[in-house]
Amino acid sequence: MTRFSVAGLLLGLSAFAGNTSSAPTFNRDVLPILQKNCQGCHRDGQIGPMPLLTYQDARPWAKAIKAAVLTNKMPPWFADPRFGHFSNERKLDQGAINSLVSWADNGAPEGNVKDRPAPVSFPTDGWNIKPDMVFSVPQPYQVPAEGIVEYTYFVIPTGFTKDTWVAAAEVLPGNRKIVHHVIAFVRPPQSQWMKDVRPGEPFVPVVHKRDANGASTGIERQNADPQRGRDPQAGILQSEFLVAYVPGIQPQTFVLGDSAKLIPAGSDLVLQMHYTPNGKAGADVTKVGLVLAKETPQHRYLTIGASQAMFKIPAGDPNYEVNSQVTFTEDAQLVWLQPHMHMRGKDFEYRLIYPTGESETALKVPNYSFNWQLGYDEQKPVVLPKGTRMECTAHFDNSPNNPLNPNPKVDVKWGDQSWEEMMIGWFGVIVDAKADPTKVVSRQARRASAE
């Protein structure tokens, strides 16, 4: 070997060694990104399909992580960046994306253990918050392997002897494999809704007749007596939405300056449970955790829905439009938004029309995800003067091109089950603490684009 070829070889080896040392490693470069952006969901008891806490957890998924960040599939975030500003935005900067891609492309090395940051300390038992109080379904609810489970309700007394203000709340499903959603309502003491239902025992208000496609064709049995307050829909309208769980949603904080949610003395919690059999029988014990406010606030946080139930999505229609709207009857501040549709949901938009005639889009979700139903926290509260109108517009894809569509050959109406549809524009506002929550908005019918 000549002197020049030896020198060239040594130079090449030196360059290779330099490139290797500068390549991202898990401990130094990747783990901090996962801790900041991914581990909140990718850990035991959360929605992520696999944990990403350690090198041993993440190494088998290196190529999948690369693909997910290059296609913006992860972290999940669906807001159109042209509209609104949100404090909980889930996006990786280009430097983080480059590090994850380069790590995968270079064999996903672990690196020096000394570079590894300390593990993130998450609350125990699956919570994302540190609850001051926890309310639980008292006994495991058994969900069959197959069939349709109608919406099931549990009444849970709070035992509060005085008005209680809540700073944050979270629903913790006991079995995410069979719990599709949970809504925890506050039933005030004067309400007659489900007053004759025994606390802690499951109650099914309505059993539907269904056709061969699973669509509701009417009511088979209604365990409801309006005189005794068992009608579920009437009771919901008289109660207040406290907190919910759907796939992808995060715990909610209600403290925005001097705001919180109110649970009046003597109130009960009512849990609306949507269970989905998955081929294997399972049991669930769902819990609701509360962080209590330290002081009585000047403003009250309310969660309200702008919904439309009068629609029929034609079979095969790829872009069916449904609308809803509310008008604010007093001053409010918009702080949170969460679109809700089912498997045919395509896109969703919230538009604000002010008393001056000016308008703006508060949130536009051009690619709605049934599997990640996110809430969007306003970076700054949006002032809504009395008379402001909120218009919600949704589109549904009932065509064969929708990969989630359970059956593109049927017309689809409003229904409880995931293969039926819903259209609700949930939103959170803060109002004066003494405001009547039932009079903050008025509702007007905006019809679907076709009947």
Side-chain angles (χ1 to χ4, degrees):
M1 182 178 290
T2 67
R3 180 179 59 182
F4 296 105
S5 61
V6 170
L9 176 61
L10 293 174
L11 182 63
L13 290 173
S14 174
F16 177 79
N19 289 338
T20 300
S21 64
S22 63
T25 69
F26 180 83
N27 290 326
R28 184 187 64 214
D29 305 286
V30 172
L31 183 55
I33 298 172
L34 299 182
Q35 289 179 335
K36 180 181 179 181
N37 300 280
C38 309
Q39 291 183 358
C41 293
H42 287 274
R43 56 190 173 91
D44 290 343
Q46 298 299 315
I47 188 176
M50 68 297 221
L52 294 175
L53 301 179
T54 67
Y55 178 71
Q56 289 71 27
D57 291 336
R59 176 61 183 85
W61 301 98
K63 295 298 184 182
I65 291 171
K66 170 187 172 181
V69 300
L70 284 177
T71 58
N72 294 318
K73 182 180 179 181
M74 290 287 142
W77 185 255
F78 309 109
D80 188 323
R82 297 176 298 170
F83 307 106
H85 301 280
F86 305 100
S87 61
N88 63 330
E89 183 178 46
R90 294 170 165 178
K91 280 195 173 182
L92 297 178
D93 61 36
Q94 193 58 48
I97 294 173
N98 293 344
S99 292
L100 293 171
V101 170
S102 179
W103 175 67
D105 286 344
N106 283 280
E110 181 177 11
N112 193 326
V113 68
K114 294 181 179 179
D115 294 333
R116 186 169 61 206
V120 175
S121 178
F122 291 104
T124 59
D125 299 327
W127 295 102
N128 290 286
I129 63 173
K130 295 182 179 180
D132 297 317
M133 303 188 72
V134 175
F135 298 92
S136 175
V137 173
Q139 299 294 332
Y141 184 76
Q142 303 297 326
V143 176
E146 298 178 347
I148 297 173
V149 179
E150 302 282 3
Y151 277 19
T152 305
Y153 291 76
F154 293 88
V155 175
I156 303 177
T158 64
F160 291 155
T161 58
K162 62 180 182 179
D163 290 353
T164 301
W165 291 91
V166 177
E170 181 180 7
V171 174
L172 182 63
N175 188 340
R176 294 174 190 265
K177 294 179 180 179
I178 55 177
V179 175
H180 171 263
H181 85 245
V182 184
I183 301 179
F185 295 97
V186 175
R187 184 181 71 178
Q190 69 273 16
S191 173
Q192 295 302 303
W193 182 35
M194 298 191 187
K195 273 295 186 182
D196 57 344
V197 174
R198 293 183 179 181
E201 294 190 3
F203 177 68
V204 177
V206 178
V207 177
H208 293 87
K209 297 178 182 178
R210 296 191 178 274
D211 61 21
N213 296 308
S216 174
T217 58
I219 294 175
E220 178 179 305
R221 185 177 77 253
Q222 183 161 343
N223 302 320
D225 179 356
Q227 297 299 318
R228 297 175 64 81
R230 284 185 135 180
D231 177 51
Q233 194 61 39
I236 288 173
L237 294 175
Q238 297 164 7
S239 301
E240 185 179 336
F241 183 120
L242 175 62
V243 66
Y245 164 80
V246 287
I249 200 170
Q250 297 297 303
Q252 283 193 263
T253 298
F254 310 125
V255 176
L256 299 160
D258 59 352
S259 65
K261 278 208 170 184
L262 175 63
I263 300 180
S267 295
D268 300 315
L269 301 185
V270 176
L271 304 190
Q272 180 195 82
M273 305 293 306
H274 180 190
Y275 292 112
T276 53
N278 63 2
K280 183 179 179 181
D284 170 67
V285 177
T286 284
K287 300 176 182 179
V288 178
L290 306 179
V291 177
L292 303 184
K294 293 180 172 58
E295 299 177 355
T296 301
Q298 296 297 310
H299 290 88
R300 183 171 178 176
Y301 188 117
L302 298 173
T303 304
I304 303 171
S307 62
Q308 171 62 268
M310 302 301 294
F311 60 80
K312 184 171 71 173
I313 307 171
D317 194 320
N319 198 47
Y320 184 79
E321 182 174 303
V322 180
N323 303 287
S324 65
Q325 72 176 32
V326 297
T327 299
F328 290 86
T329 54
E330 58 182 84
D331 294 343
Q333 297 178 68
L334 179 67
V335 294
W336 178 80
L337 300 152
Q338 194 222 4
H340 180 70
M341 299 183 283
H342 289 173
M343 301 173 82
R344 295 171 176 86
K346 181 178 180 181
D347 59 61
F348 205 103
E349 180 177 355
Y350 293 79
R351 191 162 187 80
L352 302 172
I353 294 86
Y354 297 103
T356 60
E358 298 174 290
S359 65
E360 67 172 324
T361 295
L363 170 68
K364 187 171 185 178
V365 176
N367 295 292
Y368 175 80
S369 174
F370 176 72
N371 295 318
W372 292 90
Q373 298 181 39
L374 306 183
Y376 299 84
D377 297 322
E378 293 285 358
Q379 197 170 80
K380 294 181 180 179
V382 178
V383 175
L384 305 176
K386 178 181 178 180
T388 300
R389 188 170 72 253
M390 174 185 285
E391 296 183 351
C392 298
T393 302
H395 291 96
F396 296 84
D397 183 356
N398 195 21
S399 76
N401 294 325
N402 176 359
L404 292 183
N405 194 344
N407 189 348
K409 297 180 181 180
V410 298
D411 297 343
V412 181
K413 297 181 180 180
W414 176 284
D416 293 343
Q417 302 298 328
S418 298
W419 57 84
E420 299 170 306
E421 270 303 337
M422 288 188 178
M423 187 280 190
I424 308 174
W426 293 111
F427 59 92
V429 292
I430 54 176
V431 297
D432 187 273
K434 298 179 180 178
D436 183 342
T438 66
K439 297 180 180 179
V440 171
V441 299
S442 63
R443 303 173 189 277
Q444 303 82 33
R446 290 183 77 206
R447 306 296 288 182
S449 62
E451 290 300 326

